[in-house]
């Protein structure tokens, strides 16, 4: 989930590299778990040390973090790559957020990770859980500013989590503005011509590129991944460059299946020529289909 302003560019969690300082603004536990799972798996695979900043309701230790990420089946030895800082270690002795002290802990963790033979340190955590009042908001923004400068060295990467259900909208805009990138799940489909990404608020898919005979099977599989979603589904299509009739037929079939469950599929951002084709054929009357705002060319 990304607000309308503040974040310049999306990055898939699997594409994160040392030096990145990205934010994750999430609106559901499912979304956070999916991205956190990719973050942890990517770190384990890249031989990075992983540091989790846990609030009061965060995982109490490495094994709990793996369970939260649905990775409990991994070999036990991998837990040594994970470290969790609890609420008491994130604040000052008075329980306040202390940006300089927290940054010092991150520097120590980065130095320790290199001495242990890891290639980099990756840091994440939901700091909304440690916010208490206006001064804490200012301290957190100060921390974000210091973090951006610190991580420019390219030896550490960070994903700063913010639960939009718990943070003030004005504060969220400020936090988003402190980051150049917003992290999202890895694509369900990624080829030279087509990208399909799961979205969560609202639930659905974002489809970008070319849908033709070579990609029908991949699109069908992506649609199946959201077939069990409760309620309505949105397909965001403003970056679709080409969609053939067979591809459109896949979408109509999906809409009819959703109608059988008393749900709808909204196609939003459709290029005007595709909207014209759907209307001309009469598919705009397909059960379960709802046509959202067209993309302005």
């Amino acid at each position: 989930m990304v607000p309308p302003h503040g974040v310049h560019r999306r990055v898939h969690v699997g594409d994160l590299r040392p030096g990145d300082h990205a934010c994750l603004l999430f609106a559901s536990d499912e979304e956070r778990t999916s991205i956190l799972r990719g973050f942890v798996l990517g770190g384990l695979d890249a031989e990075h040390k992983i540091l989790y900043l846990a609030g009061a309701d965060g995982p109490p230790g490495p094994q709990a973090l793996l369970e939260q990420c649905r990775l409990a089946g991994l070999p036990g030895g991998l837990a040594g790559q994970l470290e969790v800082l609890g609420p008491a270690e994130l604040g000052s002795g008075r329980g306040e957020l202390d940006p300089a002290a927290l940054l010092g802990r991150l520097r120590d963790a980065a130095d320790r990770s290199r001495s242990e033979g890891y290639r980099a340190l990756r840091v994440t955590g939901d700091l909304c859980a440690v916010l208490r009042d206006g001064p804490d908001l200012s301290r957190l923004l100060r921390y974000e500013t210091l973090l951006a400068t610190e991580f420019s060295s390219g030896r550490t990467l960070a994903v700063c989590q913010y639960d939009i259900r718990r943070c003030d909208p004005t504060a969220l805009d400020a936090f988003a503005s402190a980051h150049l990138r917003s992290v999202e799940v890895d694509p369900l489909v990624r080829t030279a011509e087509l990208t399909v990404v799961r979205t969560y608020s609202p639930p659905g898919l974002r489809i970008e590129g070319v849908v033709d005979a070579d990609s029908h099977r991949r699109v069908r599989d992506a649609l199946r991944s959201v077939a069990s979603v409760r309620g309505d589904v949105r397909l965001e299509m403003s970056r679709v460059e080409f969609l053939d009739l067979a591809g459109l037929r896949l979408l109509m079939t999906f809409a009819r299946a959703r109608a059988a469950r008393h749900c709808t599929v909204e196609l939003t951002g459709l290029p005007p020529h595709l909207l014209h084709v759907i209307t001309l054929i009469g598919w705009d009357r397909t059960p379960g289909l709802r046509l959202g705002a067209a993309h302005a060319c």
Side-chain angles (χ1 to χ4, degrees), residues 12 20 51 79 99 112 163 183 188 195 198 220 238 241 247 249 260 288:
H12 302 303
D20 285 335
L51 180 64
R112 190 167 61 253
D163 188 340
V183 68
L188 297 168
T195 300
R198 175 80 157 84
R220 187 182 297 110
S238 61
E241 300 170 13
R249 197 173 288 113

Side-chain angles (χ1 to χ4, degrees), residues 161-180:
Q161 305 173 33
Y162 292 102
D163 188 340
I164 69 172
R165 299 166 298 184
R166 300 170 62 177
C167 290
D168 177 79
T170 302
L172 282 173
D173 283 348
F175 297 144
S177 297
H179 302 80
L180 293 177

Side-chain angles (χ1 to χ4, degrees), residues 134-242:
D136 261 0
L137 293 177
S138 298
R139 295 185 189 104
L140 184 51
L141 283 172
R142 173 62 176 160
Y143 162 75
E144 292 285 14
T145 301
L146 293 172
L147 200 64
T149 302
E150 182 73 17
F151 283 13
S152 62
S153 65
R155 296 180 300 181
T156 311
L157 68 91
V159 170
C160 303
Q161 305 173 33
Y162 292 102
D163 188 340
I164 69 172
R165 299 166 298 184
R166 300 170 62 177
C167 290
D168 177 79
T170 302
L172 282 173
D173 283 348
F175 297 144
S177 297
H179 302 80
L180 293 177
R181 312 175 91 184
S182 169
V183 68
E184 67 177 3
V185 293
D186 287 328
L188 297 168
V189 177
R190 178 155 55 180
T191 69
E193 295 191 322
L194 178 67
T195 300
V196 182
V197 180
R198 175 80 157 84
T199 58
Y200 294 89
S201 301
L205 302 172
R206 189 177 73 248
I207 304 174
E208 305 176 0
V210 174
V211 178
D212 57 16
D214 292 335
S215 57
H216 291 160
R217 179 182 58 80
R218 294 185 177 92
V219 172
R220 187 182 297 110
D221 290 345
L223 292 171
R224 286 173 179 162
S225 75
V226 293
S228 61
V229 169
R230 295 182 179 180
D232 300 336
V233 167
R234 176 183 293 180
L235 305 183
E236 207 290 313
M237 306 181 67
S238 61
R239 297 186 181 180
V240 171
E241 300 170 13
F242 175 80

Side-chain angles (χ1 to χ4, degrees), residues 65-174:
L65 175 59
L66 290 175
E67 291 172 1
Q68 180 179 325
C69 298
R70 302 194 299 268
L71 296 172
L74 289 177
L78 292 177
Q81 278 184 247
L82 281 71
E83 182 179 346
V84 176
L85 289 183
E89 299 168 285
L90 299 180
S92 68
R94 299 183 301 276
E96 301 170 340
L97 185 66
D98 186 337
L102 181 52
L103 189 64
R105 290 190 178 93
L106 297 186
R107 286 175 181 155
D108 291 343
D111 291 341
R112 190 167 61 253
S113 69
R114 285 192 295 275
S115 68
E116 293 171 350
Y118 294 106
R119 295 180 176 179
L121 173 71
R122 53 175 60 199
V123 182
T124 190
D126 177 10
L127 294 182
C128 277
V130 302
L131 296 181
R132 301 184 310 165
D133 51 26
D136 261 0
L137 293 177
S138 298
R139 295 185 189 104
L140 184 51
L141 283 172
R142 173 62 176 160
Y143 162 75
E144 292 285 14
T145 301
L146 293 172
L147 200 64
T149 302
E150 182 73 17
F151 283 13
S152 62
S153 65
R155 296 180 300 181
T156 311
L157 68 91
V159 170
C160 303
Q161 305 173 33
Y162 292 102
D163 188 340
I164 69 172
R165 299 166 298 184
R166 300 170 62 177
C167 290
D168 177 79
T170 302
L172 282 173
D173 283 348

